[in-house]
Amino acid sequence: MAKFNVKIVTPEKSFFEGDVDSILLDTTTGRVEILANHIPYAAGIVPTVLKIKKDDEVKYAALSGGLLEFKDNRAIVLSNSAEWPEEIDVERAKKAKERAEERLKSGDKRVNKERAKLALRRAEARLKAVERAK
């Protein structure tokens, strides 16, 4: 299978770089899979589990959101945070999910619902990354 280069960058570090068969992630317009020779593409990324496939190996990572650009057989992902499943504190993610759900259920007008929805999505992405890596 043809390969392409992927680089994932956060403000703290270069999280991943390498040649892969495909990446699969959720964007603001839906789920997208990028393969070699894909047409040029750019999209916003929502909190998601990124699936990276290379040969017979599959890796998962939790992304907090960001931007994706693909052109000339090179994908660049910019994200505020990216974590491998083994880096995720599962208990902390569960508590973050519970807090976000409580905020969304509350009738408190001071709660920023959009912010709570994003927090919920980030926590769910982290938990899904851990589950899929098992």
Side-chain angles (χ1 to χ4, degrees), residues 2-134:
K3 302 211 181 319
F4 64 96
N5 186 263
V6 174
K7 184 170 186 175
I8 302 168
V9 180
T10 71
E12 290 82 34
K13 62 185 173 185
S14 178
F15 178 75
F16 174 85
E17 185 166 9
D19 292 337
V20 302
D21 296 324
S22 69
I23 59 172
L24 177 72
L25 68 163
D26 293 326
T27 71
T28 55
T29 58
R31 182 166 290 185
V32 66
E33 182 172 26
I34 302 289
L35 302 168
N37 303 312
H38 195 286
I39 63 169
Y41 181 80
I45 301 170
V46 296
T48 188
V49 175
L50 171 68
K51 179 181 179 181
I52 302 169
K53 186 172 183 205
K54 180 179 179 179
D55 302 321
D56 292 330
E57 183 183 2
V58 176
K59 290 184 176 187
Y60 295 96
L63 300 180
S64 64
L67 299 170
L68 163 68
E69 176 189 59
F70 182 86
K71 69 178 184 180
D72 301 326
N73 259 354
R74 181 168 170 86
I76 299 175
V77 175
L78 303 174
S79 183
N80 282 333
S81 70
E83 298 170 282
W84 298 115
E86 59 271 14
E87 298 172 331
I88 294 172
D89 182 335
V90 174
E91 287 307 310
R92 184 173 171 232
K94 285 179 182 178
K95 288 178 183 173
K97 181 180 182 219
E98 290 170 9
R99 281 193 308 274
E101 288 171 337
E102 287 300 317
R103 282 189 223 119
L104 288 169
K105 288 178 188 174
S106 82
D108 190 341
K109 301 263 188 222
R110 296 173 295 175
V111 172
N112 182 329
K113 298 285 187 187
E114 289 305 311
R115 185 174 170 193
K117 286 178 188 175
L118 279 172
L120 178 59
R121 247 189 117 146
R122 283 191 303 270
E124 288 174 338
R126 294 174 83 215
L127 293 169
K128 285 178 188 173
V130 170
E131 183 62 32
R132 290 182 184 164
K134 290 182 179 177

